[in-house]
Amino acid sequence: MTTAGDIMHKGAQWIPRHETLDRAAQLMRELDVGALPIADENERLCGILIDRDIVVDCVAMGHDPSQVTAGDMAKGTPRWIDARADIHDVVEEMEGHQIRRLPVIENKRLVGMISEADLAKHLTDAQLAGWVERVYAKN
């Protein structure tokens, strides 16, 4: 059985919700990632910040990224998956919520992230095509 822990990108890093978006962009550049899980004071997942959030919901709206925090951008209930979950559960979670990045949690701690690229390495072409169709479909 292939698990979330098997396919995830290890070493994912939180950004504290009090951190500003300019710092988040710098961290994304340093880590070469397009998404950062947002953590509260207790290191619990409270959202995910993606590069598009910074551009579209902050800069394009005329806001100063040095004044807006990651927590300000956290929306909705964050989705995550346990490291022991089967790859089919990963696919179902991502499809069901139309998300392209999924934090992986083990013992209440962030241990990795799963992205489209991670899935592409572990799904057949047909499975991947179906996943893309369902995740990118407009409701």
Side-chain angles (χ1 to χ4, degrees):
M1 173 178 86
T2 302
T3 67
D6 295 331
I7 67 171
M8 71 182 181
H9 175 79
K10 293 173 179 53
Q13 197 168 326
W14 298 107
I15 187 156
R17 73 181 191 187
H18 66 269
E19 199 66 70
T20 59
L21 297 188
D22 60 342
R23 178 62 191 128
Q26 292 165 1
L27 187 56
M28 286 179 181
R29 183 191 65 225
E30 290 167 17
L31 298 172
D32 193 26
V33 297
L36 292 170
I38 304 168
D40 67 13
E41 308 75 40
N42 300 313
E43 291 193 352
R44 295 193 59 122
L45 182 66
C46 63
I48 295 181
L49 179 67
I50 62 172
D51 47 10
R52 187 175 194 284
D53 293 333
I54 297 170
V55 173
V56 174
D57 295 337
C58 179
V59 176
M61 298 298 288
H63 302 296
D64 181 352
S66 68
Q67 300 299 312
V68 178
T69 67
D72 293 335
M73 304 302 284
K75 302 174 199 131
T77 304
R79 307 306 308 175
W80 58 273
I81 195 109
D82 188 274
R84 295 168 300 204
D86 183 79
I87 189 171
H88 300 292
D89 296 328
V90 171
V91 170
E92 191 173 287
E93 181 72 16
M94 293 173 85
E95 284 178 357
H97 297 282
Q98 292 187 300
I99 54 177
R100 292 171 253 174
R101 297 169 181 103
L102 188 62
V104 181
I105 307 292
E106 185 173 53
N107 298 322
K108 298 184 181 179
R109 296 279 181 221
L110 177 71
V111 293
M113 288 279 282
I114 296 174
S115 69
E116 301 167 87
D118 299 316
L119 279 182
K121 296 174 191 172
H122 297 277
L123 298 177
T124 67
D125 289 344
Q127 289 171 320
L128 185 59
W131 181 87
V132 167
E133 185 177 312
R134 290 181 289 279
V135 168
Y136 286 89
K138 300 268 185 196
N139 285 335

